[in-house]
Amino acid sequence: MKLNKAGLQNRVKWEEKGYQLPRYDVDKMVAATRENPFWIHFGAGNLFRAFHARVVDDMLNAGVLDRGIIAVEGFDYEIVEKRYLPHDNLGIVVTLKADGTIEKKVVASVAEAVALDSESEERFGRLKEIFSKDSLQMATFTITEKGYSLVDGKGEVLKAVEEDFVAGPERPASYLGKVSALMYARYQAGAKPIAMVSTDNCSHNGDKLYAAISAFAKAWVENGKAEAGFADYIDSDKVSFTWSMIDKITPRPDTSVEAMLEADGVEDLAPVVTSKNTYVALFVNAEETEYLVIEDDFPNGRPELEKGGLMFTDRETVDKVERMKVCTCLNPLHTCLAIFGCVLGYEKISEEMKDEQLKKLVETVGYVEGLPVVVNPGILDPKEFIDTVLQVRVPNPFMPDTPQRIATDTSQKLAIRFGETIKAYAASEELKVSDLKRIPLVFAGWLRYLMAIDDSGKKFELSPDPLLDTVCPVVADIHLGEAADVEELLRPVLANKAIFGVDLYEVGMAELVCKYFREMTAGVGAVRETLKKYV
């Protein structure tokens, strides 16, 4: 059973093994999409394959759509070269349901996969051609929160961005410089309307995308590298930068799922690790629960994507949903489990929910400390949402998600996942910041995590994070069981509003964080003892 168009000709064999196959004419869909593309997506990774591409595939099967989606990869071109092209852009999505049932689906909705390669006249030319089409209605993104930043961890403009500002849109090197160049091609083709839709898991994601592209447009106009009207076009009602909230747990492809597919007879399943250390597999595994709430602002129109389960509403409602999820009802709980899971030696998130202290910690952070400041968005109920998270989604034993994956880029997440709650308490007439006891415990846990020594005293590898070089030296001279001037050493981090969203000294939380941290570094086993004491 080879995963390509020729291999799918033997439909009976695939279907006997329980695979759902495309019920539409794939070649016809590809031709129609190439001629009149309507949706292009940047970031051809696991979340895109399990969610965006699968939604389009479902709608193609239902006859709601007759065109597919175009995938663009800008970080690691080998994903296109080694994952998409050799398999005719097909993929397998394995949905691992909490009741133990498994759904296996061959997704064929990716009509075209292109590397965002400005050095290639063919590739970049094709992308400019797509962006010049009247039919293009939307460009979506899953490039991670840090992908939108034009500065490094020290706040300095990235070298590639700085060079692109000067050189102009002909052959930019930075990711968003390339995207901006494609927008310039659309402007030159007649200033055609389009919706730019970030579907990354970060607050006010559309604003982050706008800020980056607007910066390029203004720089190019000022430097005489683009027509004066380009910056005005980006700011006009012809281009929207919508807000969205996305939620679907899509861990790294798991070996147990790989073994299951191999037993079915699927060939060439051995994963590829690219030169950029990207893990590329033929399949993705994901949970069944998913949400994508998007501000309904599409200057060039849009298909009826609500028929695929997407929710469209106004910006204010998206903001409420996003704050509910990112600041309270899911993401902070994930970060709690990630931090303590790494320190306590867990390798699966679901296993942590069997841990009495960790289960109570996330319940308290969610229900007791977070929920009081959540504004009900109306289209999703916060209490029901968090119930589903803690009772169904996170404990799902069939989901091979890891604390190590979720701990990635934690320094970039704390300000939103916890800082917003602290700000809400500070602004409230009924609530007091001093009432927050578990959030500072999580902060102390993160600082303890940065020591890269687990609770048994063994070293472990920290997950990737752009601020590791900045924050790790702060705890470098702190050792388990040894006295240290904790408050003096931690002060540069605790006062950093960019990390926590607030200055922990100004809000009166620093002292408590230091107290917890001292106890967590008292010796081997001190993290567990601290959790027992306070949770």
Side-chain angles (χ1 to χ4, degrees), residues 103-135:
E103 179 184 280
K104 298 175 292 189
K105 180 179 179 63
V106 174
V107 170
S109 60
V110 177
E112 197 172 349
V114 189
L116 185 60
D117 183 2
S118 58
E119 295 295 317
S120 167
E121 189 173 328
E122 179 185 355
R123 290 167 165 175
F124 211 52
R126 172 57 185 154
L127 290 172
K128 286 182 178 179
E129 180 185 2
I130 291 167
F131 263 78
S132 300
K133 292 275 190 177
D134 291 346
S135 60

mmCIF file of all heavy atoms in Angstrom, residues 103-135:
data_model
loop_
_atom_site.group_PDB
_atom_site.id
_atom_site.type_symbol
_atom_site.label_atom_id
_atom_site.label_comp_id
_atom_site.label_asym_id
_atom_site.label_seq_id
_atom_site.Cartn_x
_atom_site.Cartn_y
_atom_site.Cartn_z
ATOM 1 N N GLU A 103 -9.724 6.797 13.761
ATOM 2 C CA GLU A 103 -10.173 7.091 12.405
ATOM 3 C C GLU A 103 -8.950 7.328 11.531
ATOM 4 O O GLU A 103 -8.078 8.122 11.879
ATOM 5 C CB GLU A 103 -11.066 8.333 12.411
ATOM 6 C CG GLU A 103 -11.573 8.757 11.055
ATOM 7 C CD GLU A 103 -12.371 10.047 11.130
ATOM 8 O OE1 GLU A 103 -13.558 9.978 11.517
ATOM 9 O OE2 GLU A 103 -11.802 11.116 10.826
ATOM 10 N N LYS A 104 -8.886 6.627 10.412
ATOM 11 C CA LYS A 104 -7.755 6.762 9.488
ATOM 12 C C LYS A 104 -8.275 7.316 8.160
ATOM 13 O O LYS A 104 -9.180 6.741 7.567
ATOM 14 C CB LYS A 104 -7.085 5.401 9.277
ATOM 15 C CG LYS A 104 -6.506 4.798 10.561
ATOM 16 C CD LYS A 104 -5.957 3.396 10.356
ATOM 17 C CE LYS A 104 -7.051 2.388 10.067
ATOM 18 N NZ LYS A 104 -6.535 0.983 10.072
ATOM 19 N N LYS A 105 -7.668 8.416 7.741
ATOM 20 C CA LYS A 105 -8.199 9.120 6.574
ATOM 21 C C LYS A 105 -7.061 9.555 5.659
ATOM 22 O O LYS A 105 -6.090 10.154 6.106
ATOM 23 C CB LYS A 105 -8.985 10.344 7.063
ATOM 24 C CG LYS A 105 -9.617 11.204 5.980
ATOM 25 C CD LYS A 105 -10.374 12.359 6.644
ATOM 26 C CE LYS A 105 -11.010 13.290 5.625
ATOM 27 N NZ LYS A 105 -12.017 12.634 4.804
ATOM 28 N N VAL A 106 -7.179 9.224 4.383
ATOM 29 C CA VAL A 106 -6.230 9.725 3.395
ATOM 30 C C VAL A 106 -6.740 11.078 2.899
ATOM 31 O O VAL A 106 -7.836 11.173 2.352
ATOM 32 C CB VAL A 106 -6.063 8.751 2.219
ATOM 33 C CG1 VAL A 106 -5.186 9.380 1.130
ATOM 34 C CG2 VAL A 106 -5.456 7.436 2.693
ATOM 35 N N VAL A 107 -5.936 12.110 3.113
ATOM 36 C CA VAL A 107 -6.317 13.471 2.748
ATOM 37 C C VAL A 107 -5.606 13.854 1.445
ATOM 38 O O VAL A 107 -4.385 13.762 1.340
ATOM 39 C CB VAL A 107 -5.943 14.456 3.881
ATOM 40 C CG1 VAL A 107 -6.097 15.904 3.428
ATOM 41 C CG2 VAL A 107 -6.812 14.187 5.110
ATOM 42 N N ALA A 108 -6.399 14.273 0.458
ATOM 43 C CA ALA A 108 -5.846 14.590 -0.864
ATOM 44 C C ALA A 108 -6.101 16.038 -1.275
ATOM 45 O O ALA A 108 -5.942 16.396 -2.434
ATOM 46 C CB ALA A 108 -6.445 13.648 -1.904
ATOM 47 N N SER A 109 -6.484 16.874 -0.308
ATOM 48 C CA SER A 109 -6.947 18.226 -0.640
ATOM 49 C C SER A 109 -5.830 19.202 -0.973
ATOM 50 O O SER A 109 -6.096 20.309 -1.443
ATOM 51 C CB SER A 109 -7.762 18.790 0.526
ATOM 52 O OG SER A 109 -6.968 18.843 1.706
ATOM 53 N N VAL A 110 -4.570 18.821 -0.698
ATOM 54 C CA VAL A 110 -3.453 19.713 -1.034
ATOM 55 C C VAL A 110 -3.192 19.596 -2.541
ATOM 56 O O VAL A 110 -2.635 18.615 -3.013
ATOM 57 C CB VAL A 110 -2.189 19.376 -0.224
ATOM 58 C CG1 VAL A 110 -1.032 20.277 -0.649
ATOM 59 C CG2 VAL A 110 -2.460 19.533 1.276
ATOM 60 N N ALA A 111 -3.611 20.610 -3.260
ATOM 61 C CA ALA A 111 -3.501 20.572 -4.722
ATOM 62 C C ALA A 111 -2.083 20.850 -5.191
ATOM 63 O O ALA A 111 -1.678 20.422 -6.279
ATOM 64 C CB ALA A 111 -4.460 21.593 -5.335
ATOM 65 N N GLU A 112 -1.341 21.562 -4.357
ATOM 66 C CA GLU A 112 -0.006 21.987 -4.755
ATOM 67 C C GLU A 112 0.782 22.277 -3.490
ATOM 68 O O GLU A 112 0.243 22.810 -2.518
ATOM 69 C CB GLU A 112 -0.144 23.263 -5.598
ATOM 70 C CG GLU A 112 1.041 23.634 -6.425
ATOM 71 C CD GLU A 112 0.728 24.805 -7.363
ATOM 72 O OE1 GLU A 112 -0.467 25.175 -7.493
ATOM 73 O OE2 GLU A 112 1.679 25.342 -7.950
ATOM 74 N N ALA A 113 2.066 21.910 -3.474
ATOM 75 C CA ALA A 113 2.951 22.219 -2.353
ATOM 76 C C ALA A 113 4.176 22.930 -2.902
ATOM 77 O O ALA A 113 4.826 22.438 -3.823
ATOM 78 C CB ALA A 113 3.353 20.953 -1.610
ATOM 79 N N VAL A 114 4.476 24.100 -2.341
ATOM 80 C CA VAL A 114 5.549 24.942 -2.878
ATOM 81 C C VAL A 114 6.439 25.432 -1.738
ATOM 82 O O VAL A 114 5.938 25.814 -0.677
ATOM 83 C CB VAL A 114 4.978 26.170 -3.630
ATOM 84 C CG1 VAL A 114 6.088 26.916 -4.361
ATOM 85 C CG2 VAL A 114 3.871 25.763 -4.591
ATOM 86 N N ALA A 115 7.747 25.411 -1.961
ATOM 87 C CA ALA A 115 8.680 25.991 -0.999
ATOM 88 C C ALA A 115 8.721 27.503 -1.187
ATOM 89 O O ALA A 115 8.705 28.000 -2.317
ATOM 90 C CB ALA A 115 10.075 25.394 -1.182
ATOM 91 N N LEU A 116 8.764 28.227 -0.080
ATOM 92 C CA LEU A 116 8.813 29.692 -0.117
ATOM 93 C C LEU A 116 10.265 30.125 -0.352
ATOM 94 O O LEU A 116 10.931 30.692 0.504
ATOM 95 C CB LEU A 116 8.287 30.268 1.204
ATOM 96 C CG LEU A 116 8.136 31.780 1.319
ATOM 97 C CD1 LEU A 116 7.179 32.323 0.287
ATOM 98 C CD2 LEU A 116 7.685 32.154 2.724
ATOM 99 N N ASP A 117 10.724 29.820 -1.554
ATOM 100 C CA ASP A 117 12.138 29.939 -1.885
ATOM 101 C C ASP A 117 12.354 31.107 -2.846
ATOM 102 O O ASP A 117 12.158 30.978 -4.062
ATOM 103 C CB ASP A 117 12.625 28.624 -2.507
ATOM 104 C CG ASP A 117 14.097 28.623 -2.828
ATOM 105 O OD1 ASP A 117 14.772 29.629 -2.530
ATOM 106 O OD2 ASP A 117 14.573 27.613 -3.375
ATOM 107 N N SER A 118 12.778 32.235 -2.319
ATOM 108 C CA SER A 118 12.961 33.420 -3.158
ATOM 109 C C SER A 118 14.196 33.317 -4.047
ATOM 110 O O SER A 118 14.371 34.118 -4.968
ATOM 111 C CB SER A 118 13.060 34.676 -2.285
ATOM 112 O OG SER A 118 14.130 34.555 -1.362
ATOM 113 N N GLU A 119 15.043 32.328 -3.769
ATOM 114 C CA GLU A 119 16.227 32.119 -4.609
ATOM 115 C C GLU A 119 15.881 31.342 -5.884
ATOM 116 O O GLU A 119 16.674 31.277 -6.811
ATOM 117 C CB GLU A 119 17.298 31.350 -3.826
ATOM 118 C CG GLU A 119 17.870 32.111 -2.635
ATOM 119 C CD GLU A 119 18.626 33.348 -3.063
ATOM 120 O OE1 GLU A 119 19.386 33.258 -4.049
ATOM 121 O OE2 GLU A 119 18.441 34.408 -2.432
ATOM 122 N N SER A 120 14.700 30.732 -5.877
ATOM 123 C CA SER A 120 14.265 29.948 -7.036
ATOM 124 C C SER A 120 13.273 30.755 -7.855
ATOM 125 O O SER A 120 12.176 31.072 -7.389
ATOM 126 C CB SER A 120 13.619 28.640 -6.575
ATOM 127 O OG SER A 120 12.924 28.013 -7.637
ATOM 128 N N GLU A 121 13.656 31.070 -9.071
ATOM 129 C CA GLU A 121 12.772 31.832 -9.947
ATOM 130 C C GLU A 121 11.487 31.060 -10.231
ATOM 131 O O GLU A 121 10.398 31.636 -10.289
ATOM 132 C CB GLU A 121 13.499 32.151 -11.258
ATOM 133 C CG GLU A 121 12.758 33.123 -12.136
ATOM 134 C CD GLU A 121 13.575 33.558 -13.341
ATOM 135 O OE1 GLU A 121 14.814 33.627 -13.230
ATOM 136 O OE2 GLU A 121 12.963 33.815 -14.391
ATOM 137 N N GLU A 122 11.614 29.739 -10.353
ATOM 138 C CA GLU A 122 10.448 28.917 -10.646
ATOM 139 C C GLU A 122 9.471 28.899 -9.467
ATOM 140 O O GLU A 122 8.274 29.143 -9.629
ATOM 141 C CB GLU A 122 10.889 27.483 -10.967
ATOM 142 C CG GLU A 122 9.719 26.549 -11.273
ATOM 143 C CD GLU A 122 10.166 25.103 -11.479
ATOM 144 O OE1 GLU A 122 11.392 24.849 -11.469
ATOM 145 O OE2 GLU A 122 9.296 24.232 -11.648
ATOM 146 N N ARG A 123 10.006 28.614 -8.267
ATOM 147 C CA ARG A 123 9.126 28.506 -7.090
ATOM 148 C C ARG A 123 8.521 29.855 -6.707
ATOM 149 O O ARG A 123 7.308 29.973 -6.494
ATOM 150 C CB ARG A 123 9.910 27.941 -5.904
ATOM 151 C CG ARG A 123 10.291 26.476 -6.039
ATOM 152 C CD ARG A 123 11.318 26.101 -4.989
ATOM 153 N NE ARG A 123 11.455 24.661 -4.831
ATOM 154 C CZ ARG A 123 12.351 24.080 -4.043
ATOM 155 N NH1 ARG A 123 13.199 24.815 -3.339
ATOM 156 N NH2 ARG A 123 12.412 22.768 -3.932
ATOM 157 N N PHE A 124 9.371 30.874 -6.603
ATOM 158 C CA PHE A 124 8.875 32.178 -6.180
ATOM 159 C C PHE A 124 8.001 32.791 -7.268
ATOM 160 O O PHE A 124 7.003 33.469 -6.968
ATOM 161 C CB PHE A 124 10.050 33.097 -5.828
ATOM 162 C CG PHE A 124 9.724 34.099 -4.750
ATOM 163 C CD1 PHE A 124 9.179 33.695 -3.544
ATOM 164 C CD2 PHE A 124 9.978 35.455 -4.939
ATOM 165 C CE1 PHE A 124 8.880 34.616 -2.547
ATOM 166 C CE2 PHE A 124 9.690 36.380 -3.944
ATOM 167 C CZ PHE A 124 9.131 35.954 -2.742
ATOM 168 N N GLY A 125 8.343 32.498 -8.502
ATOM 169 C CA GLY A 125 7.518 32.974 -9.604
ATOM 170 C C GLY A 125 6.132 32.364 -9.569
ATOM 171 O O GLY A 125 5.130 33.038 -9.841
ATOM 172 N N ARG A 126 6.069 31.076 -9.226
ATOM 173 C CA ARG A 126 4.768 30.420 -9.131
ATOM 174 C C ARG A 126 3.935 31.038 -8.008
ATOM 175 O O ARG A 126 2.739 31.271 -8.173
ATOM 176 C CB ARG A 126 4.960 28.910 -8.886
ATOM 177 C CG ARG A 126 3.671 28.143 -8.576
ATOM 178 C CD ARG A 126 2.619 28.289 -9.657
ATOM 179 N NE ARG A 126 1.362 27.638 -9.284
ATOM 180 C CZ ARG A 126 0.169 27.993 -9.761
ATOM 181 N NH1 ARG A 126 0.051 28.979 -10.640
ATOM 182 N NH2 ARG A 126 -0.920 27.348 -9.377
ATOM 183 N N LEU A 127 4.572 31.328 -6.881
ATOM 184 C CA LEU A 127 3.839 31.926 -5.769
ATOM 185 C C LEU A 127 3.349 33.332 -6.120
ATOM 186 O O LEU A 127 2.231 33.723 -5.756
ATOM 187 C CB LEU A 127 4.718 31.951 -4.514
ATOM 188 C CG LEU A 127 4.992 30.581 -3.895
ATOM 189 C CD1 LEU A 127 6.015 30.676 -2.777
ATOM 190 C CD2 LEU A 127 3.699 29.949 -3.368
ATOM 191 N N LYS A 128 4.159 34.076 -6.849
ATOM 192 C CA LYS A 128 3.712 35.404 -7.297
ATOM 193 C C LYS A 128 2.533 35.282 -8.252
ATOM 194 O O LYS A 128 1.607 36.100 -8.225
ATOM 195 C CB LYS A 128 4.871 36.140 -7.972
ATOM 196 C CG LYS A 128 5.921 36.659 -6.999
ATOM 197 C CD LYS A 128 7.024 37.414 -7.726
ATOM 198 C CE LYS A 128 8.051 37.982 -6.751
ATOM 199 N NZ LYS A 128 9.138 38.709 -7.451
ATOM 200 N N GLU A 129 2.575 34.253 -9.083
ATOM 201 C CA GLU A 129 1.463 34.014 -10.004
ATOM 202 C C GLU A 129 0.177 33.734 -9.230
ATOM 203 O O GLU A 129 -0.892 34.269 -9.564
ATOM 204 C CB GLU A 129 1.800 32.820 -10.909
ATOM 205 C CG GLU A 129 0.713 32.480 -11.918
ATOM 206 C CD GLU A 129 1.024 31.217 -12.717
ATOM 207 O OE1 GLU A 129 2.076 30.590 -12.461
ATOM 208 O OE2 GLU A 129 0.206 30.854 -13.580
ATOM 209 N N ILE A 130 0.286 32.899 -8.191
ATOM 210 C CA ILE A 130 -0.889 32.583 -7.367
ATOM 211 C C ILE A 130 -1.417 33.849 -6.703
ATOM 212 O O ILE A 130 -2.630 34.105 -6.679
ATOM 213 C CB ILE A 130 -0.513 31.528 -6.306
ATOM 214 C CG1 ILE A 130 -0.225 30.180 -6.976
ATOM 215 C CG2 ILE A 130 -1.635 31.376 -5.270
ATOM 216 C CD1 ILE A 130 0.444 29.168 -6.067
ATOM 217 N N PHE A 131 -0.507 34.677 -6.172
ATOM 218 C CA PHE A 131 -0.925 35.898 -5.482
ATOM 219 C C PHE A 131 -1.470 36.953 -6.435
ATOM 220 O O PHE A 131 -2.099 37.917 -5.992
ATOM 221 C CB PHE A 131 0.230 36.454 -4.647
ATOM 222 C CG PHE A 131 0.161 36.036 -3.203
ATOM 223 C CD1 PHE A 131 0.562 34.763 -2.824
ATOM 224 C CD2 PHE A 131 -0.339 36.888 -2.231
ATOM 225 C CE1 PHE A 131 0.486 34.355 -1.501
ATOM 226 C CE2 PHE A 131 -0.432 36.494 -0.916
ATOM 227 C CZ PHE A 131 -0.022 35.225 -0.540
ATOM 228 N N SER A 132 -1.256 36.767 -7.709
ATOM 229 C CA SER A 132 -1.784 37.719 -8.688
ATOM 230 C C SER A 132 -3.172 37.338 -9.192
ATOM 231 O O SER A 132 -3.803 38.109 -9.924
ATOM 232 C CB SER A 132 -0.825 37.824 -9.880
ATOM 233 O OG SER A 132 0.448 38.276 -9.461
ATOM 234 N N LYS A 133 -3.647 36.171 -8.799
ATOM 235 C CA LYS A 133 -4.933 35.664 -9.294
ATOM 236 C C LYS A 133 -6.117 36.392 -8.644
ATOM 237 O O LYS A 133 -6.156 36.596 -7.427
ATOM 238 C CB LYS A 133 -5.058 34.168 -8.994
ATOM 239 C CG LYS A 133 -4.091 33.282 -9.771
ATOM 240 C CD LYS A 133 -4.656 32.936 -11.135
ATOM 241 C CE LYS A 133 -3.838 31.860 -11.824
ATOM 242 N NZ LYS A 133 -4.414 31.470 -13.114
ATOM 243 N N ASP A 134 -7.112 36.723 -9.472
ATOM 244 C CA ASP A 134 -8.345 37.323 -8.951
ATOM 245 C C ASP A 134 -9.025 36.399 -7.947
ATOM 246 O O ASP A 134 -9.643 36.848 -6.981
ATOM 247 C CB ASP A 134 -9.331 37.597 -10.099
ATOM 248 C CG ASP A 134 -8.871 38.708 -11.011
ATOM 249 O OD1 ASP A 134 -7.945 39.452 -10.635
ATOM 250 O OD2 ASP A 134 -9.431 38.828 -12.126
ATOM 251 N N SER A 135 -8.930 35.106 -8.171
ATOM 252 C CA SER A 135 -9.693 34.130 -7.387
ATOM 253 C C SER A 135 -9.191 33.958 -5.964
ATOM 254 O O SER A 135 -9.922 33.462 -5.099
ATOM 255 C CB SER A 135 -9.648 32.759 -8.089
ATOM 256 O OG SER A 135 -8.300 32.318 -8.211
#
